[in-house]
């Protein structure tokens, strides 16, 4: 058995498969856009900047954050802003933990948690957050890995072998 968690931009989809049959499916009503919105609010930046921060500097385990700061250039005469990595990581960790707990609730509700020998497989654009698999293992107790296309479909292999394209 396996639980597949597809963390999309607007929603997160969970499918539990056991003996080649879909046994449980659920939609969690938030995903990567919720993380971006939290970063926007928590750091006082634009949506575009929040998305860039999440993608380029974000990770999900605040315990691994250091004392460095991220410089955000001021726009329209505003002063530059320094955001600590630890603050960004705390914001992301909080929402990702909520998402993983919602997924764990669905997994437990399905009655298949103890039958997931293949554990949890995470895919989708948000799956690319550094440390997500380790954090998911901590939160859910399930062995966790990322899913991504592993076959060569074209000459543009590198551009299509990302978790965001695996489904």
């Amino acid at each position: 058995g396996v639980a597949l968690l597809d963390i999309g931009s607007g929603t997160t989809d969970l499918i539990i498969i056991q003996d080649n049959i879909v046994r449980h499916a659920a939609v969690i009503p938030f995903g990567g856009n919720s993380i971006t919105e939290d970063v926007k609010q928590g750091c006082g930046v634009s949506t575009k900047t929040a998305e860039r921060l999440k993608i380029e500097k974000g990770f999900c385990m605040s315990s691994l954050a250091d004392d460095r700061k991220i410089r955000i250039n001021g726009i329209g005469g505003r002063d530059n802003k320094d955001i600590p990595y630890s603050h960004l990581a705390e914001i992301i960790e909080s929402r990702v933990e909520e998402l993983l707990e919602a997924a764990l609730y669905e997994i437990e509700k399905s009655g298949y948690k103890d039958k997931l020998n293949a554990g949890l497989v995470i895919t989708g654009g948000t799956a690319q957050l550094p440390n997500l698999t380790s954090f998911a293992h901590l939160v859910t107790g399930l062995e966790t890995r990322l899913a991504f296309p592993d076959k060569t479909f074209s000459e543009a292999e590198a551009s299509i072998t990302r978790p965001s394209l695996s489904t």
Side-chain angles (χ1 to χ4, degrees):
V2 66
L4 175 67
L5 191 65
D6 181 3
I7 308 173
S9 58
T11 62
T12 299
D13 303 316
L14 173 73
I15 297 174
I16 296 176
I17 301 170
Q18 175 72 31
D19 296 326
N20 295 320
I21 299 170
V22 174
R23 303 293 182 161
H24 186 80
V27 176
I28 298 164
F30 49 91
N33 288 347
S34 298
I35 298 168
T36 301
E37 184 62 26
D38 289 351
V39 171
K40 174 185 171 182
Q41 297 298 323
C43 296
V45 297
S46 69
T47 301
K48 183 178 178 181
T49 299
E51 181 70 11
R52 187 176 49 79
L53 283 171
K54 179 183 77 174
I55 291 170
E56 295 176 7
K57 308 288 185 183
F59 54 100
C60 350
M61 295 179 74
S62 61
S63 61
L64 301 177
D66 57 30
D67 293 335
R68 291 181 299 147
K69 295 189 184 321
I70 304 162
R71 169 72 39 113
I72 305 297
N73 294 327
I75 299 173
R78 294 188 181 117
D79 291 336
N80 293 339
K81 180 184 287 195
D82 290 330
I83 299 170
Y85 269 94
S86 58
H87 182 61
L88 178 62
E90 286 169 0
I91 293 168
I92 293 171
E93 178 181 343
S94 178
R95 180 61 76 167
V96 171
E97 183 174 19
E98 181 183 16
L99 189 151
L100 292 169
E101 286 174 350
L104 180 60
Y105 170 78
E106 288 293 335
I107 291 168
E108 289 172 342
K109 186 170 91 171
S110 75
Y112 284 91
K113 183 178 183 203
D114 296 331
K115 299 174 184 169
L116 299 177
N117 295 333
L120 179 64
V121 176
I122 302 177
T123 190
T126 304
Q128 297 171 103
L129 278 171
N131 310 108
L132 179 61
T133 55
S134 299
F135 190 57
H137 177 70
L138 286 173
V139 172
T140 66
L142 296 168
E143 292 299 320
T144 305
R145 69 178 181 87
L146 290 182
F148 51 89
D150 61 356
K151 295 183 179 183
T152 304
F153 292 101
S154 72
E155 292 179 17
E157 179 182 348
S159 67
I160 65 167
T161 56
R162 299 187 312 263
S164 60
L165 301 175
S166 61
T167 55

